[in-house]
Amino acid sequence: MQTNEVEIKTIQTTSEEEFIMKPYIDWCFKELMRNPKTRTGFIAALLRLPPEQIGRTTILENELSKRTEEEKQGVLDVRVLLESGTQLDIEMQVLYIEYWDDRSLFYLSKMFSSQLQKGESYDKLQKCIQVGVLNFTYFKKDNFCHRRVRFYDEATGDLYSEKLELQILELPKIPKEYHHPDGIIAWMKFFRGGNKKEMEEMAKGNAYLESAYEDLMEMSQDEKKRLAYEARERALRDQLALQHQTEKIFQQIAEVQGELDKAKDTLAETKGQLSETQGQLSKTQGQLSKTQGQLSETQGQLSETRGQLSKTQGQLSETRGQLSETQEQLSETQKQLAEAHAQNDVAHDQGRKDAIIDLYQKGLLNLEQAASSYGMSTEDFQKLIF
């Protein structure tokens, strides 16, 4: 709202001598198009024809007919009929409009179809051109300030029909360096506006633009027209302010919606993670139950093993007792065996000695042999004998 107040104040303080209307204000544009010479010059630039080939131009009713009360009605800024039968819808659009491409197609289609009355032949249809002069940038992907759209066969590349055409002029895209006085860019620069001196320079060298400039000067000095112009300009500023406010509200709504969507995504992600965690928990619980079962089984086996171990230890103790008893018996037997061996050795030695003495007495051994075998000296052996 503060911006609008500044703009209004600027208009009020502009001197009468320096004030000049801006042609991009749609009210001013319509007034300029009322002049047949201005109309002819602009249409000639659009159609790329010498102005003298345009012929007579007639402004038609700018409200298109509709078949039913429910059908959307189209209102055109300037609707012109050429002497050739061609019709043009020339629209100056100051503020940004969403879906301009669809809107222009709607108006073009309405204009084309409204030519025929019931029962008339299709061969009476004449060429229709929808011209949009935009004081804003709609096609943001390129720098083309003027585009001409026609209908072509995609398979062959041939023009399907010359009777339907769209032209779009985007004023903010006008190239800075352009000095040709007769082309469409010159008209676009004029419509874009400027101060009185700049507008006068733009019109030089082009009789049709000079005529438009003269009309513009005359309108700017006409008090009633100036009041109508300023009322329309204020209405556009209010509409622009409302549009900006609406856009800001929609942007805030979009931001809130974005945060809400983000929160929803986060919630959905959290729910997914929770579901995954619950799944893992269920799996872990299953594994824990299985492990507990295995542990119980292992504990049972361990108890059984311990019982078997106790039984084995008892058997081992019993075996050890039997082993001790056997070892004692073995020791006694070995002792008895040793005594028997000792007795046997004594008896054997005594028998051997008796045999030596017997052999000596029989004269089979001499004294030395008998004493040696007996393990004594001859003197001791003789003492033993005698």
Side-chain angles (χ1 to χ4, degrees):
M1 185 61 69
Q2 185 177 358
T3 304
N4 291 343
E5 291 176 354
V6 172
E7 290 176 354
I8 292 171
K9 185 177 180 181
T10 303
I11 292 173
Q12 292 173 345
T13 56
T14 302
S15 68
E16 294 292 333
E17 293 180 358
E18 294 300 322
F19 173 77
I20 188 168
M21 295 181 182
K22 304 294 188 241
Y24 62 78
I25 301 298
D26 48 11
W27 182 91
C28 180
F29 179 77
K30 288 180 185 179
E31 290 297 310
L32 289 174
M33 288 297 110
R34 293 183 185 278
N35 186 328
K37 186 173 183 179
T38 300
R39 254 190 341 262
T40 298
F42 180 48
I43 292 172
L46 287 171
L47 302 184
R48 303 174 187 176
L49 294 173
E52 56 271 15
Q53 291 186 18
I54 298 300
R56 184 179 178 182
T57 63
T58 305
I59 293 182
L60 301 176
E61 175 63 40
N62 70 339
E63 186 173 286
L64 295 176
S65 62
K66 57 180 181 178
R67 296 184 179 87
T68 65
E69 288 300 322
E70 293 77 16
E71 186 177 0
K72 185 175 176 61
Q73 190 173 45
V75 178
L76 308 180
D77 283 335
V78 181
R79 188 176 178 187
V80 182
L81 174 64
L82 303 188
E83 192 172 342
S84 63
T86 297
Q87 290 190 46
L88 292 94
D89 159 27
I90 306 173
E91 183 173 1
M92 170 64 75
Q93 184 60 45
V94 185
L95 303 179
Y96 182 85
I97 290 184
E98 196 73 39
Y99 308 114
W100 172 264
D101 43 1
D102 294 335
R103 185 177 187 273
S104 59
L105 281 173
F106 171 78
Y107 283 133
L108 178 61
S109 301
K110 291 284 288 185
M111 182 169 54
F112 188 70
S113 62
S114 66
Q115 296 180 79
L116 294 183
Q117 301 298 322
K118 186 176 181 180
E120 289 185 327
S121 175
Y122 292 117
D123 62 358
K124 290 189 177 182
L125 290 169
Q126 299 295 320
K127 183 173 184 177
C128 291
I129 305 172
Q130 205 282 334
V131 181
V133 184
L134 310 183
N135 195 42
F136 56 86
T137 299
Y138 185 77
F139 300 99
K140 298 179 175 60
K141 294 182 179 180
D142 57 63
N143 294 320
F144 299 113
C145 65
H146 176 216
R147 63 185 76 229
R148 186 183 183 195
V149 181
R150 305 175 77 185
F151 294 83
Y152 287 87
D153 186 326
E154 185 176 344
T156 64
D158 296 332
L159 183 66
Y160 179 75
S161 174
E162 63 175 10
K163 292 187 176 181
L164 292 173
E165 183 176 318
L166 293 162
Q167 291 200 37
I168 302 97
L169 288 65
E170 295 177 275
L171 300 184
K173 289 184 178 180
I174 299 172
K176 294 181 180 180
E177 299 298 328
Y178 187 85
H179 304 289
H180 195 285
D182 299 321
I184 191 63
I185 304 297
W187 283 93
M188 292 176 66
K189 290 180 70 176
F190 182 82
F191 292 145
R192 185 67 167 169
N195 58 42
K196 186 180 292 186
K197 184 177 180 181
E198 291 171 342
M199 298 292 286
E200 185 179 7
E201 288 297 322
M202 292 178 197
K204 284 183 179 180
N206 185 321
Y208 299 91
L209 278 174
E210 288 177 354
S211 176
Y213 174 70
E214 291 172 2
D215 286 344
L216 193 62
M217 289 293 298
E218 184 179 341
M219 286 191 298
S220 299
Q221 301 304 316
D222 187 301
E223 184 177 353
K224 289 185 178 180
K225 290 185 176 181
R226 178 169 175 174
L227 289 174
Y229 168 85
E230 290 177 349
R232 178 56 180 163
E233 190 176 35
R234 283 194 296 272
L236 287 171
R237 282 200 304 274
D238 291 342
Q239 187 178 348
L240 180 61
L242 180 61
Q243 188 180 76
H244 286 168
Q245 184 177 1
T246 304
E247 288 174 356
K248 185 177 181 180
I249 292 173
F250 277 123
Q251 183 178 2
Q252 290 174 346
I253 292 173
E255 290 175 357
V256 171
Q257 185 63 44
E259 292 296 326
L260 181 60
D261 292 340
K262 186 177 179 181
K264 286 181 179 178
D265 292 341
T266 302
L267 179 60
E269 184 179 353
T270 302
K271 285 182 177 179
Q273 292 175 346
L274 179 60
S275 297
E276 184 179 352
T277 302
Q278 288 175 336
Q280 292 175 345
L281 179 60
S282 299
K283 184 178 179 181
T284 302
Q285 288 175 338
Q287 292 175 342
L288 179 60
S289 298
K290 183 179 179 181
T291 303
Q292 287 175 338
Q294 293 174 344
L295 179 61
S296 298
E297 183 180 353
T298 302
Q299 286 175 338
Q301 293 174 347
L302 180 61
S303 298
E304 183 180 351
T305 302
R306 284 175 178 170
Q308 293 175 348
L309 179 60
S310 297
K311 183 178 179 181
T312 302
Q313 286 175 339
Q315 293 173 346
L316 181 60
S317 297
E318 183 179 352
T319 302
R320 283 176 177 171
Q322 293 173 351
L323 181 60
S324 296
E325 184 178 350
T326 302
Q327 286 178 340
E328 289 177 2
Q329 293 174 353
L330 180 60
S331 296
E332 182 66 25
T333 302
Q334 288 177 340
K335 182 178 179 182
Q336 293 174 354
L337 182 60
E339 290 177 357
H341 279 302
Q343 293 174 358
N344 185 52
D345 289 340
V346 170
H348 181 271
D349 186 60
Q350 188 61 43
R352 182 179 64 82
K353 288 180 177 180
D354 291 343
I356 292 171
I357 293 173
D358 185 57
L359 291 172
Y360 174 72
Q361 290 175 348
K362 290 179 178 180
L364 296 174
L365 293 175
N366 59 31
L367 178 62
E368 289 80 8
Q369 289 174 334
S372 175
S373 297
Y374 203 86
M376 292 182 174
S377 65
T378 55
E379 290 80 5
D380 290 335
F381 185 75
Q382 286 179 343
K383 289 178 180 180
L384 178 63
I385 296 300
F386 299 107

